[in-house]
Amino acid sequence: MVSPAIALAFLPFVVTLIIRYRYYFLLFYRAVLVRMVQDCLTSLTREERAFQYVLTHATPGDPNSILDTFDHWCSKVEYMSNIGPRKGKVLDRLIVDNAPLTVLELGTHCGYGAVRIARSLQLGARLYTVEMDERNAEVAEKVIRLAGFDDDTLELIVGTSEEVITKMREQYGVERLDFVFMDHWKRCYLPDLQLLEGSGLLGKGSIILADNVIFPGAPHFLRYVKKSGLYQYRTHRATLEYTPGIRDGMAELTYLGVK
């Protein structure tokens, strides 16, 4: 057993550690422990619980109400890694300012990002959003339709990002992507970006916005972007969604074309 004297000597170190990393401990509690307990108590996934809350509290057909209700649930009830309201404003501005006609979202999750993008699209624009988890895709489909968007504006595709990117031309008739929003597995950011390049779906001026490049981070992706010479690049620094004490950011890339 550890003597009281030794334990007391380590106490300042433990307290300092807890204070320094308190937001990470809080994130672990909200994102992991609370989720585990609620999974057992409800027999529903976290995404299904979020949809039940939105269905009960949001106004159908009103995208703003859907997003506000999601934000309240994620900040006050259970944590979920949507882009959130602060970083979402950057996404909103880029969509409005650039008025893309064809948009690809990688990582639909529960539909928050898709609704956020779709509400800012101009008439005639189309969003393809990709989710590999079938159960999450079912939730996202309900959220998207609850917000009032139909297949003419927003098409949800179930599959991996790699599978879908390779089929964009042949199966979906897409010749060019004006805007790509990456918010899926961070380890897929780089291979998917290179796949987009190789497929010819990126044209000069195409914009790629990648979330969470600082936390949990996508270092290989950022290193490639900086060295490739194919992109004009900037980072939008912010904090992790619904967790203000953890630094995060998004990478905004503008494709310059093949050298």
Side-chain angles (χ1 to χ4, degrees):
M1 293 182 62
V2 179
S3 69
I6 295 177
L8 190 61
F10 275 96
L11 184 60
F13 171 76
V14 173
V15 172
T16 301
L17 192 68
I18 292 173
I19 293 174
R20 182 174 182 179
Y21 295 102
R22 62 190 181 280
Y23 294 111
Y24 296 92
F25 287 121
L26 179 61
L27 177 63
F28 177 78
Y29 168 75
R30 296 191 65 223
V32 179
L33 299 183
V34 171
R35 178 180 184 177
M36 290 173 60
V37 171
Q38 290 300 320
D39 285 352
C40 292
L41 292 176
T42 65
S43 298
L44 298 172
T45 67
R46 178 182 54 184
E47 290 74 20
E48 289 168 336
R49 292 191 296 273
F51 174 70
Q52 291 298 324
Y53 186 88
V54 170
L55 185 62
T56 303
H57 294 84
T59 303
D62 184 346
N64 295 331
S65 175
I66 301 291
L67 295 175
D68 289 343
T69 305
F70 257 119
D71 288 333
H72 184 270
W73 191 87
C74 293
S75 60
K76 303 297 184 182
V77 183
E78 286 189 61
Y79 175 85
M80 192 160 56
S81 56
N82 302 317
I83 188 175
R86 183 174 177 184
K87 289 187 292 182
K89 290 179 181 179
V90 176
L91 175 61
D92 297 344
R93 177 178 55 78
L94 288 174
I95 293 293
V96 171
D97 290 351
N98 292 280
L101 290 175
T102 308
V103 181
L104 175 66
E105 179 189 33
L106 300 176
T108 314
H109 196 195
C110 59
Y112 179 99
V115 170
R116 186 143 207 144
I117 293 170
R119 69 170 182 170
S120 298
L121 292 177
Q122 64 177 342
L123 186 65
R126 187 165 177 78
L127 167 62
Y128 299 89
T129 182
V130 182
E131 175 56 46
M132 65 177 295
D133 187 294
E134 292 186 5
R135 199 166 179 180
N136 285 349
E138 290 178 3
V139 172
E141 182 76 27
K142 295 174 184 177
V143 169
I144 290 166
R145 303 315 167 203
L146 184 67
F149 299 109
D150 57 23
D151 285 331
D152 292 335
T153 301
L154 202 169
E155 182 171 353
L156 172 61
I157 305 170
V158 181
T160 66
S161 53
E162 180 182 3
E163 292 171 345
V164 175
I165 289 171
T166 57
K167 296 177 181 177
M168 290 302 291
R169 284 183 182 276
E170 181 179 347
Q171 189 165 337
Y172 300 98
V174 175
E175 296 296 326
R176 170 192 163 108
L177 292 168
D178 301 310
F179 194 99
V180 179
F181 178 48
M182 292 185 170
D183 196 16
H184 55 323
W185 291 106
K186 313 315 163 195
R187 65 174 180 268
C188 295
Y189 279 16
L190 178 54
D192 284 348
L193 180 65
Q194 293 173 326
L195 193 58
L196 287 167
E197 294 169 359
S199 68
L201 290 169
L202 299 180
K204 187 173 182 180
S206 292
I207 294 173
I208 300 97
L209 183 67
D211 193 17
N212 303 125
V213 295
I214 295 177
F215 183 87
H220 299 298
F221 171 82
L222 293 179
R223 192 176 303 116
Y224 170 79
V225 167
K226 292 174 182 178
K227 292 183 177 181
S228 69
L230 296 174
Y231 301 94
Q232 180 180 327
Y233 161 82
R234 65 174 296 191
T235 300
H236 298 275
R237 296 191 177 275
T239 55
L240 186 66
E241 50 272 15
Y242 315 114
T243 311
I246 299 177
R247 289 183 295 176
D248 191 21
M250 298 184 295
E252 177 193 340
L253 321 178
T254 302
Y255 188 60
L256 301 176
V258 180
K259 295 179 181 179

